[in-house]
Structures are given as structure tokens and as C-alpha cells.
Amino acid sequence: MLVNNMYLGERSEEETSYNGLPGTLAVLAATVGLVFWCRADAFHEYWQQTRHQDSGLGALNAQSWWASGAKLSHTLEGMLTVPAEWQSETRDRMITAVNVLMLGKDEALAGEKSQPEPVAMATAAQLKLHSDAIHAPKSARSSKVAASGETAKKLSAPEVIAASGVASTPATETSASQPAVTESNEVRHFVKLGSDGRLVLNENDRVLLVGDSMMQGVAPHLAKALQKAHVKAIDASKQSTGLTYPTYFDWPEKIRELIPKEKISVLVVMMGANDTWDMVLAGKYERFGSERWRSIYAQRVASILQFAHSQHVRVIWLGAPNMGKEKVNNGVRLLNQLYASAMTDGISRFVSTREALSDNADVYQRYITKEDGTSVVVRSEDGIHFTRDGHKILTQLVLKQLVLPTPQPQS
């Protein structure tokens, strides 16, 4: 005899599903709330980057209970990053060991100890684009070299010098060249310049890396290269930042905090991708590129340089490369001119990146031509950021501005 399950006190599938729905929704809501609590800072950054206005979380971020979510998330990320870094270091050690067995110690380690090639001094009339020395044959770059004259007409004098990859002849350093005395009575000096104009570092020097997500990609490679030479690098880069929205993140203030705290000798800056927007001044929008906009932005650049120089810190300011998005590309051209114009005293320098990341200095390219004639992808699909090869090229561009100490062999 067939008996309906409902008469035996059992629930139908429909009733069970319906009664379990509130519990499922509660679990989902709790999960979403937990994720948002842990990653609210990422949401805030994304909102700032895409909407260019406050997300409304500023008041909550000031509360310790709310900010603890982001701290917990970052702690967990750090715990997961350590094994990855250990694996990378182990891999590098294994590769070095194999090379020593196959090639011998002297030859295998020669590449790691070699210094970047000196950058020859040149006048504006003798410009030769810096990226030729990095990865491309003259034949592949002939159009760029031929266009250098036209490029020179478009750029201000400081940018023309920087675009060549050579260091400008240092001007007479006035009061800024006098050694600074810190609060701890420590006497500070500018790092010396070599005969070829490069910055001569020693193992006591410290390099501060600041900027937006473009620098975030380059910084690990650059820090690793400096570490091999026993020069400490502090990576303070932060995505979605720049100089246009100091209410979100104030780079001049952050730099004023870090330089004396970390006893910095050289500051390397790369930003601009998040700065091609209108400013909000006293609750009103100031159009990007207007005279007032340029004046305020230039003041913010100058404030970084002035404080760095007052602390006897030299600055290497990397220009923004060509961008795959037309609006951003047009904007960074203006920013590069402002960066270059600010560095005319010979103490610090502007270094153009456009030539190194393109076969034509005025054109955005995802692929560039290598010395063997093959192509390599240097830019990501978003038209702004870089691939691993692009990061390495920019790392070498910075290293060519430096003379690194030769590590002493351990006894």
C-alpha cells in the first residue's frame, strides 16, 4: 500500500527548500559582509580610480574596528607571499648552482657582478635615444632616431636631455649642496656623481621607490637588483595614487615622512596614469590641463623635489610611457613636460621611458623589436601597465643611471 510521505510527518522537497532559504541567504550575506570588511580598502581604491571621487568610506576607514579588516587581509596576504618569495629565491639559487657546475664559478657569476654600462655624456645636438642600448638594433630603431629631431621640437629642453638617456651636466649646487644636519646630528650629503653623470651609490645608501601601479610592477625587480649590490630599497608604491587627489593619498606628505625615517639617499618616482583627470578644488572641478590645473600640479611636483633636496636626496623621476588609451596618452604628455620642467637644477633628473618601450618614441606599442629581430610583449592588454619584460626594461633604464657598489667577497 502506498502512503504519502507527508502523512508520515516528512516534509516535501519544496517545503524543505523553502524553509532552508533564509539560512542560505543569511550565510551568503555574512560571507559578503566579511569579504567587504576585509577588502573595503580595495573597493575604496577601485572607486577612486574609476569614479575619481570619494567612495563614502572615509569616515569608516578612520574607525579602528573597521580598519582592522584590511589589516587582517594584508597580514594573510603577507603570509601567503613569503612561501612564494622563498620558492623564487630557491629557484634562483638552484639555477646559479647549475651554472657554476657547468660553466665554472667565475664565468657563471660574472653576469651577476657586472655593472651597467656607462652612459656616455652628450649634447642635445648629439642625442642618441637611450633605448638603442637596451634591446634594439639600429635598423629596427632607425625611424625613432630619425624622428628624434621632431621629438626635440615638441619637448622642453630638460625633457630632450632626459629622452636621450644621458645625465645632464650638474649645475652649480648652491645652498642645497651644503651638507644637511638631521635631528640626530647626522651629517647628510648628496650622493656623488661619476664622471659620466651617473649616481655613485655605496652600501650605506638607501633608495626609496614611490609611485602608482606602474611602479608597483617595476619596484620588485629594481629592489632585487639593488639588493644584490647590498643597497637597500624601500618600496612604498601604491596603486591608484598620484598627485591629482591628495585627499585620497598625499604623496608629498608620505615622502616627507619616509625620507628622514628611512634615511633615504635616492628617490625614484613613477606616476601619472591616475593624474589625467580634473581636480576637485573647494568642491568645484578644475578642468585637466587648464592653466590653474597645471600650476597646482607643478607646485605638488616641486614640493617633492624641494623637500628631497633639503634632505640631500637626489631624485630620478621616470616619465610616463605612451598609453594605449587616447585620453590618458594625451594627458601624460602634458605631465611629462611638467615633470621635466621641474628638474633643471642638475641635482635631480627626468628620465623618459617612451623610447625604451616603443620602436617609435611617439607611438604606443604592445610589442617591441628585440636585437634578434623577434618581437616581445612589453605592455599589458589594458594599454597602461607592463609585462614582466617591460618591467625588466624599465629596471635596466633606472640601473643605467646608477653606479652600484661591488659586493665584497665573504671570507
Side-chain angles (χ1 to χ4, degrees):
M1 181 177 65
L2 298 175
V3 179
N4 193 309
N5 288 337
M6 295 183 64
Y7 292 103
L8 298 178
E10 297 182 7
R11 297 179 178 178
S12 66
E13 292 183 3
E14 291 82 359
E15 184 180 2
T16 302
S17 176
Y18 175 79
N19 290 341
L21 183 60
T24 302
L25 292 178
V27 171
L28 288 175
T31 302
V32 171
L34 179 62
V35 171
F36 187 75
W37 175 60
C38 291
R39 300 303 297 155
D41 58 336
F43 174 82
H44 182 64
E45 290 177 356
Y46 172 78
W47 188 273
Q48 287 275 351
Q49 186 177 23
T50 56
R51 302 279 181 166
H52 305 287
Q53 58 186 8
D54 192 272
S55 66
L57 295 173
L60 278 176
N61 290 335
Q63 302 295 323
S64 59
W65 66 270
W66 180 263
S68 62
K71 293 180 180 179
L72 174 62
S73 176
H74 294 161
T75 299
L76 293 175
E77 288 179 0
M79 294 172 62
L80 294 174
T81 300
V82 170
E85 293 178 346
W86 177 83
Q87 291 176 2
S88 177
E89 182 178 354
T90 301
R91 181 193 60 191
D92 292 343
R93 289 178 180 272
M94 291 178 65
I95 292 174
T96 300
V98 171
N99 288 337
V100 169
L101 290 175
M102 296 180 63
L103 304 175
K105 181 178 179 180
D106 293 340
E107 185 174 351
L109 299 181
E112 296 185 5
K113 295 181 179 180
S114 61
Q115 295 292 320
E117 295 180 2
V119 181
M121 297 296 292
T123 64
Q126 298 170 326
L127 290 181
K128 186 178 186 300
L129 298 178
H130 190 48
S131 55
D132 290 343
I134 300 178
H135 52 70
K138 293 181 180 179
S139 58
R141 304 282 169 155
S142 58
S143 59
K144 178 172 58 181
V145 175
S148 63
E150 183 65 24
T151 302
K153 296 177 183 179
K154 298 178 181 179
L155 303 179
S156 62
E159 189 173 6
V160 172
I161 295 174
S164 71
V166 303
S168 56
T169 303
T172 301
E173 298 172 2
T174 56
S175 59
S177 65
Q178 300 301 319
V181 180
T182 65
E183 293 181 358
S184 61
N185 295 325
E186 178 188 4
V187 179
R188 298 285 304 279
H189 299 267
F190 281 112
V191 297
K192 296 180 180 180
L193 298 180
S195 59
D196 55 7
R198 293 188 294 162
L199 281 63
V200 181
L201 303 185
N202 60 55
E203 295 183 0
N204 295 322
D205 290 317
R206 295 188 171 199
V207 179
L208 177 61
L209 311 175
V210 305
D212 54 24
S213 54
M214 294 190 296
M215 175 58 87
Q216 275 188 319
V218 177
H221 300 273
L222 184 54
K224 185 177 181 180
L226 293 172
Q227 183 180 1
K228 286 184 177 180
H230 296 181
V231 175
K232 183 175 181 179
I234 294 89
D235 177 14
S237 57
K238 183 177 177 63
Q239 67 185 43
S240 307
T241 60
L243 299 180
T244 300
Y245 291 93
T247 54
Y248 165 59
F249 192 86
D250 192 337
W251 269 120
E253 179 62 28
K254 188 65 175 179
I255 290 169
R256 283 193 291 270
E257 171 195 337
L258 290 176
I259 284 181
K261 177 182 177 181
E262 300 292 346
K263 300 180 180 179
I264 299 302
S265 305
V266 177
L267 172 66
V268 182
V269 183
M270 188 177 194
M271 62 179 67
N274 303 303
D275 283 342
T276 60
W277 308 98
D278 299 343
M279 288 182 182
V280 179
L281 304 173
K284 297 182 179 180
Y285 283 90
E286 182 65 33
R287 181 175 55 84
F288 172 79
S290 68
E291 183 176 354
R292 186 185 182 198
W293 193 102
R294 294 196 306 270
S295 175
I296 292 174
Y297 194 90
Q299 290 173 15
R300 293 172 183 174
V301 174
S303 70
I304 293 175
L305 294 174
Q306 289 169 2
F307 180 79
H309 294 172
S310 73
Q311 300 295 302
H312 284 67
V313 173
R314 294 190 186 274
V315 181
I316 298 175
W317 200 300
L318 298 178
N322 295 310
M323 299 292 185
K325 299 179 180 180
E326 183 177 1
K327 180 183 184 302
V328 180
N329 191 42
N330 292 335
V332 297
R333 288 178 181 273
L334 169 61
L335 298 181
N336 284 342
Q337 292 179 0
L338 295 177
Y339 300 149
S341 298
M343 278 159 271
T344 59
D345 55 10
I347 300 176
S348 296
R349 65 190 60 175
F350 172 86
V351 179
S352 175
T353 64
R354 296 179 303 170
E355 298 80 10
L357 294 169
S358 178
D359 294 333
N360 185 328
D362 294 323
V363 177
Y364 167 82
Q365 291 179 285
R366 281 202 68 203
Y367 300 81
I368 62 173
T369 307
K370 296 174 62 177
E371 292 183 358
D372 59 5
T374 60
S375 296
V376 60
V377 183
V378 295
R379 305 296 291 275
S380 60
E381 293 183 356
D382 64 8
I384 294 177
H385 298 95
F386 317 111
T387 64
R388 182 178 177 84
D389 286 315
H391 294 149
K392 290 181 177 180
I393 289 172
L394 291 175
T395 296
Q396 290 301 314
L397 187 60
V398 176
L399 293 178
K400 285 181 179 292
Q401 312 302 316
L402 309 172
V403 177
L404 301 179
T406 302
Q408 298 297 323
Q410 297 181 353
S411 57

